[in-house]
Amino acid sequence: MLSTWLYVGIFTLVAVALPAIAIFLAGLLAPKKPNPIKEATYECGVETVGPTWTQLRVQYYLFALVFLIFDVESVLLYPWAVAYQQLPLFAIVEAIIFLAILLGGLFYAWRKGALNWQ
Amino acid sequence: MNVLQWVFVITAFLTVGAAVMMVLSRRMMHAALWLAVALLGVGVIFITLEASFFAIVQLLVYIGAILILIVFAIMLTQRTDESGPRLNAYAWAAAGVAALIGAILTFSMAGWMLGNTGLLELGPAFDAILPLGQALVDTEGFAVPFEVASVLLLAALIGAIYIAFERKGERS
Amino acid sequence: MTAFWQDPITFLRLWLENLLLSWGVSERWVLLIRYAVGAILLATAALLFVILQLWLERKLIGRLQDRLGPNRVGPWGLLQPIADVLKIFTKEHITPAGADRVPFNLAPVLSVAAALMVWAVIPFSATVFGADLNVGILYLLAVGAVGEIAIILAGWGSNNKYALLGALRTVAQLISYSVPMTLSALVPVMFSGSLNLNAITRAQEVWFIVLAPLPALIFFVASVAEVGRAPFDLPEAESELVAGYSVEYSGLKFGFFYVAEFLKAFTVSLIFAVLFLGGWRGPGAEAYPVLGFVYLFLKSGAVYLLMILFRGTLPRFRIDQVMDLNWKVFTPLALILLMVIALVDYFLRGGLPLVRVLVLLGVNTLAYIVLDRLLSSRERVRRQPVAQPVRPVARPENLINPTETGVAS
């Protein structure tokens, strides 16, 4: 099993190195004429006012939160799905209860308006 | 030292180094990115222990969900000026306590496995996921924790939505 | 010994291994070299394939829009993408003032790397695959997380509020659509009993899209949204929103974001083909592994053509429509389908395969009809008259002959 992960590790290194080398080569080939006007932050042609920060809405945080809950739920379900073909009916009903509880949570979030983009 | 031990040592240094950098970072966004490196290091250690499922779960849940949540939270609460004091008044006391705990742990664990630092090589036919899945829903196994976990997730969802809407209410 | 034509890659690999062993190289180094060569070849092949893909897409989109695509550079414009790549190599790398150097430069590299890393676990034929990872499917989903981090790095590193906002919007869309994707990917795992992509391919006597068309549809649409392609491409809309996370990038760094998008698009078609369309399976694929390659690429090519068709014909969704579709339609649907399929498939265990296929198809059709009814009833509720009842028009006959409302003449 470790050798498969070794391949994954090597592949990751290659996958990171290839674009990095290409960008490096392009950096060598391309002209370099830094110029404060060119490097000014783009804001539809208007000068930037104030430092860079963005007042984020709570909405993004709620989406990330609901995603986290469902991500953890799916991860708990994957071992069950692997064992699915050998499981008795009771075990399947257990998983259905698990899913139903979370479906209920989703409906709660829906009713509360946590899922509206606004 | 064989290859696996080298991998462990390097990864351990990387992880601890990233954790230290995270605490010492000046900007919160950098701290979040160092956290990503530290979590990746932990994932690699799981791989060296042949726990592929947990390594992938580490990547998927910690880096893919929790880190993104942290980044959004940083964006949400960012003040324009980051010039507040970096370390609070109790920082040195906290560092002392952490060093003490570290020393206690190191000395107590050094007594366990003196000289035996090899890793068990599990056979190629060892598959941990099927027994895990069966154990999770086995009534003699972890069925109750499995269901309790879903209720816990539900509670977290409801609680967070409630708090977020309180905040939204007081803001608007 | 396999003949060359039956299985060229394995043949070459065995030849190389024997050569190295005969030179006295130790076993572990042979393994390392084999992995390194395989990885480099695969990654390079994937990137070169993107070039072909660029040409195909531009030609087809052109035809869909009733025009010829590129046709000047080379026969049928085949050399157009190469010309584009050469051009972009020579553009200046402008780093915006105040940009955070490391995230700014790391982002395009990670973006492409995330798309490439998926190719490591895909089984290309019965004998050719990168890593036979026993957690293959989860690896596919986890690598998406790396892509999301890359986008955050890009938005943050650009020191530009619009880039940051665009990046956060994009990430919000990507993480939202991860949920139905992860949930519907549970269905092939349930049917085949393993997370290993090879095992999933081998378990598809009947393609999983036949056994579970609705989860396959959810997975497909969710992956289209994950890639950020039309009709879900508002965060990166080229002609709309002022920015997008890649606004401050120029030169090859921008080029790599573009390449990453196309690579991701083909990669998700490849994943869909492996998970639901039977991967390399087909007549004669076991005996002649080369055919496995051909089948896989035909299938993923067909899926990719479908994606191009989406792009050329469907209008863009608004961001609130995108989120609504995900959380209010796809996620509950995926959860309910999981519950239903789990229950139904239990009772079909050990039965005749044909019965299983028919019952599952029936269940899916039923679910689809219910969904259709629910969605259209919501549509009817939402369609309310926004205009007032018709008032008399100022026309001569209304003025000369006053109506009941008493319009004065």
Side-chain angles (χ1 to χ4, degrees):
Chain A
M1 198 198 296
L2 282 175
S3 58
T4 48
W5 278 107
L6 178 66
Y7 181 80
V8 172
I10 292 178
F11 197 88
T12 308
L13 278 171
V14 169
V16 171
L18 268 180
I21 292 176
I23 290 182
F24 179 70
L25 282 177
L28 293 176
L29 284 172
K32 273 190 253 310
K33 301 192 174 67
N35 174 327
I37 297 181
K38 253 202 290 199
E39 291 175 1
T41 314
Y42 176 66
E43 202 162 319
C44 285
V46 183
E47 291 299 312
T48 325
V49 176
T52 307
W53 64 285
T54 329
Q55 185 58 11
L56 210 62
R57 294 170 312 158
V58 172
Q59 216 47 58
Y60 289 96
Y61 183 80
L62 281 174
F63 278 130
L65 188 86
V66 182
F67 160 65
L68 173 63
I69 303 277
F70 278 93
D71 210 27
V72 175
E73 171 204 356
S74 332
V75 156
L76 280 173
L77 278 174
Y78 269 91
W80 167 82
V82 170
Y84 173 75
Q85 296 284 347
Q86 277 94 335
L87 287 175
L89 186 63
F90 179 68
I92 296 179
V93 170
E94 269 183 49
I96 292 183
I97 296 175
F98 185 85
L99 282 166
I101 292 178
L102 281 153
L103 191 63
L106 181 71
F107 280 132
Y108 172 81
W110 186 339
R111 289 298 301 268
K112 277 283 171 178
L115 303 174
N116 289 330
W117 179 263
Q118 202 103 352
Chain B
M1 290 251 264
N2 65 3
V3 179
L4 217 51
Q5 289 174 325
W6 271 114
V7 170
F8 173 74
V9 167
I10 294 175
T11 314
F13 264 112
L14 205 70
T15 310
V16 173
V20 168
M21 285 303 299
M22 181 186 116
V23 172
L24 297 178
S25 276
R26 196 153 258 296
R27 307 171 79 175
M28 285 185 60
M29 196 60 181
H30 288 182
L33 296 177
W34 282 117
L35 180 65
V37 177
L39 293 171
L40 199 60
V42 175
V44 173
I45 293 183
F46 276 136
I47 291 177
T48 58
L49 290 170
E50 301 205 28
S52 348
F53 182 70
F54 291 103
I56 282 288
V57 165
Q58 178 85 3
L59 195 61
L60 187 60
V61 174
Y62 263 108
I63 299 183
I66 294 181
L67 190 73
I68 293 191
L69 192 71
I70 289 177
V71 166
F72 278 11
I74 291 176
M75 296 290 148
L76 196 60
T77 58
Q78 185 105 41
R79 300 172 302 166
T80 46
D81 56 336
E82 302 206 24
S83 59
R86 256 171 53 209
L87 301 171
N88 66 10
Y90 300 105
W92 288 111
V97 170
L100 188 65
I101 295 180
I104 294 177
L105 278 175
T106 315
F107 279 119
S108 59
M109 286 205 287
W112 288 354
M113 292 193 169
L114 257 160
N116 177 15
T117 49
L119 284 168
L120 279 172
E121 278 274 341
L122 302 165
F126 182 79
D127 180 25
I129 309 178
L130 184 63
L132 177 66
Q134 283 174 323
L136 264 180
V137 281
D138 189 5
T139 35
E140 321 273 321
F142 298 99
V144 173
F146 186 63
E147 299 296 338
V148 167
S150 79
V151 175
L152 188 64
L153 287 170
L154 182 70
L157 187 62
I158 294 179
I161 289 179
Y162 182 72
I163 294 179
F165 274 98
E166 282 246 316
R167 194 193 163 91
K168 204 183 196 181
E170 79 189 22
R171 181 174 294 207
S172 61
Chain C
M1 257 319 240
T2 50
F4 180 73
W5 288 116
Q6 267 186 313
D7 195 358
I9 309 254
T10 314
F11 186 84
L12 287 169
R13 167 171 72 88
L14 288 171
W15 170 80
L16 184 68
E17 278 182 0
N18 285 330
L19 187 67
L20 286 172
L21 282 172
S22 70
W23 284 350
V25 182
S26 74
E27 277 270 333
R28 303 172 93 203
W29 279 104
V30 171
L31 191 74
L32 201 67
I33 292 175
R34 175 181 131 202
Y35 280 169
V37 169
I40 295 176
L41 281 178
L42 186 56
T44 317
L47 285 176
L48 289 177
F49 191 77
V50 172
I51 296 188
L52 181 66
Q53 212 183 313
L54 282 173
W55 170 80
L56 185 70
E57 169 126 8
R58 288 176 69 173
K59 269 300 211 185
L60 279 173
I61 292 280
R63 288 291 177 167
L64 279 170
Q65 294 170 345
D66 201 22
R67 57 180 170 90
L68 304 169
N71 62 350
R72 293 223 170 266
V73 189
W76 295 298
L78 272 170
L79 299 180
Q80 177 76 45
I82 301 183
D84 284 336
V85 166
L86 283 175
K87 175 205 77 172
I88 222 165
F89 250 91
T90 58
K91 295 291 180 181
E92 180 180 350
H93 285 164
I94 303 177
T95 309
D100 222 344
R101 279 198 177 267
V102 172
F104 186 77
N105 289 316
L106 199 55
V109 172
L110 272 186
S111 210
V112 174
L116 267 182
M117 273 161 68
V118 173
W119 288 61
V121 294
I122 294 194
F124 288 104
S125 79
T127 51
V128 176
F129 40 82
D132 196 13
L133 216 53
N134 65 338
V135 283
I137 282 197
L138 285 181
Y139 176 83
L140 296 178
L141 299 167
V143 162
V146 176
E148 292 160 15
I149 303 273
I151 295 178
I152 290 181
L153 286 176
W156 168 258
S158 299
N159 195 31
N160 178 338
K161 344 186 158 86
Y162 293 106
L164 188 58
L165 199 57
L168 292 171
R169 254 196 185 189
T170 311
V171 169
Q173 180 183 310
L174 291 190
I175 62 176
S176 299
Y177 274 92
S178 283
V179 174
M181 206 165 125
T182 315
L183 287 174
S184 48
L186 271 173
V187 174
V189 175
M190 268 173 26
F191 286 157
S192 60
S194 164
L195 292 173
N196 183 335
L197 287 176
N198 242 319
I200 292 179
T201 314
R202 275 171 207 276
Q204 292 192 48
E205 297 279 338
V206 182
W207 291 359
F208 287 158
I209 194 176
V210 174
L211 288 180
L214 216 48
L217 182 70
I218 296 176
F219 187 85
F220 179 63
V221 178
S223 3
V224 171
E226 278 277 323
V227 178
R229 275 182 78 91
F232 296 102
D233 62 353
L234 185 64
E236 301 121 25
E238 293 132 3
S239 56
E240 298 197 8
L241 198 63
V242 92
Y245 54 90
S246 54
V247 68
E248 294 279 3
Y249 284 91
S250 57
L252 193 59
K253 294 183 197 163
F254 175 78
F256 268 125
F257 277 122
Y258 201 64
V259 161
E261 178 176 334
F262 276 86
L263 188 59
K264 270 196 282 190
F266 191 73
T267 308
V268 299
S269 337
L270 210 57
I271 295 174
F272 186 79
V274 167
L275 284 182
F276 289 100
L277 293 178
W280 48 257
R281 287 185 76 106
E286 298 265 353
Y288 296 93
V290 162
L291 283 179
F293 259 114
V294 173
Y295 291 141
L296 181 62
F297 275 94
L298 278 176
K299 291 175 195 176
S300 37
V303 177
Y304 185 63
L305 279 175
L306 193 62
M307 286 173 75
I308 296 181
L309 198 68
F310 276 10
R311 180 177 174 184
T313 51
L314 293 175
R316 202 168 270 146
F317 284 151
R318 278 197 324 263
I319 189 75
D320 64 314
Q321 289 174 324
V322 166
M323 290 305 190
D324 269 359
L325 185 65
N326 176 53
W327 291 111
K328 302 183 184 173
V329 176
F330 281 153
T331 311
L333 184 64
L335 285 168
I336 294 177
L337 272 176
L338 260 180
M339 293 196 265
V340 168
I341 290 184
L343 203 57
V344 168
D345 206 39
Y346 172 76
F347 293 114
L348 295 169
R349 236 184 251 175
L352 296 169
L354 188 63
V355 172
R356 184 173 180 221
V357 168
L358 288 175
V359 172
L360 281 172
L361 265 181
V363 165
N364 273 290
T365 322
L366 203 69
Y368 180 73
I369 293 175
V370 169
L371 179 72
D372 192 47
R373 285 291 157 78
L374 275 175
L375 283 179
S376 50
S377 74
R378 277 175 54 189
E379 278 288 319
R380 256 179 266 129
V381 163
R382 261 194 275 146
R383 277 203 198 115
Q384 289 158 356
V386 289
Q388 295 178 343
V390 177
R391 294 177 303 168
V393 182
R395 297 225 318 252
E397 47 266 27
N398 290 340
L399 292 174
I400 296 173
N401 304 316
T403 62
E404 286 121 13
T405 55
V407 172
S409 62

